[in-house]
Every structure is written in C-alpha cells, then in structure tokens.
Amino acid sequence: MPASFIEGLTLISAPSGSMLLLLLKATVILVAALGMTVAMQKASAGARHLVWLVTLSTLLVVPAIAVWSPLRLKILPPEAAHASPAVSQISAPAITSGPASQPSPST
C-alpha cells in the first residue's frame, strides 16, 4: 500500500475536538429521549413517537447551533472603552486609625 493512503486513513480516523463534542451532545440527547420513552411506557404510541420526532429534529439542528453559537452581540462597549485615564487616577481617601480620626466626646 502506498504511504499516502495510510496517511489519509490516519487523518480520517483522528477525530477533532468539535466532532467529539457533537458526538457527546448527540449521545446525551439520545439517552434523554430513551429515558423519556421508557418513563412513558404506559403512554400512547403517538406520544412516544412525538418524543422521538422531536429528538431526531433536535439532532439535525445541533450542528447548526454549534456553528452559530458564539454569536457576538454588541451590547456592551469594547474593552478599550472601559479603561479611561480619568478613572485610573482617582484614589480613595486614606483611613487613619489614630486619635485624630475618633470623635471627641462631648460632655
């Protein structure tokens, strides 16, 4: 066998982190659906089929949501606008604990 074929197989068989994450999400969704249908044993077949319909449609939507999930909503100003020079120069007054800071008793 040529070396390029073997190298191609190792590239295909090495899953990336995002694929493993999608596989984990799909597994969690399928196990949750299985648990729901087991819990619905006495329910009608239509209700159980509805659970599986929603599950399979969710599995089709999960990759699209994973791609679009880091939506950048510009609600807050950028980080550079937070650090202004006027704010960094303000200092709190020093608190002393000597006799001058205590009020004098009035008799």
Side-chain angles (χ1 to χ4, degrees):
M1 278 187 195
S4 62
F5 179 73
I6 295 172
E7 289 173 2
L9 286 179
T10 57
L11 290 176
I12 291 172
S13 65
S16 64
S18 62
M19 288 300 289
L20 287 176
L21 190 61
L22 282 174
L23 180 66
L24 179 68
K25 289 177 184 179
T27 303
V28 168
I29 291 169
L30 287 171
V31 167
L34 181 66
M36 288 174 65
T37 53
V38 167
M40 297 172 60
Q41 252 180 344
K42 302 284 182 174
S44 67
R48 291 191 308 263
H49 279 83
L50 182 64
V51 168
W52 285 111
L53 176 70
V54 170
T55 300
L56 293 177
S57 60
T58 303
L59 288 177
L60 290 174
V61 174
V62 164
I65 291 174
V67 170
W68 295 330
S69 64
L71 294 176
R72 290 183 172 79
L73 301 176
K74 296 185 179 186
I75 297 172
L76 298 175
E79 290 293 325
H82 288 299
S84 64
V87 175
S88 63
Q89 294 176 356
I90 297 174
S91 62
I95 300 174
T96 59
S97 61
S101 67
Q102 300 198 8
S104 61
S106 57
T107 55

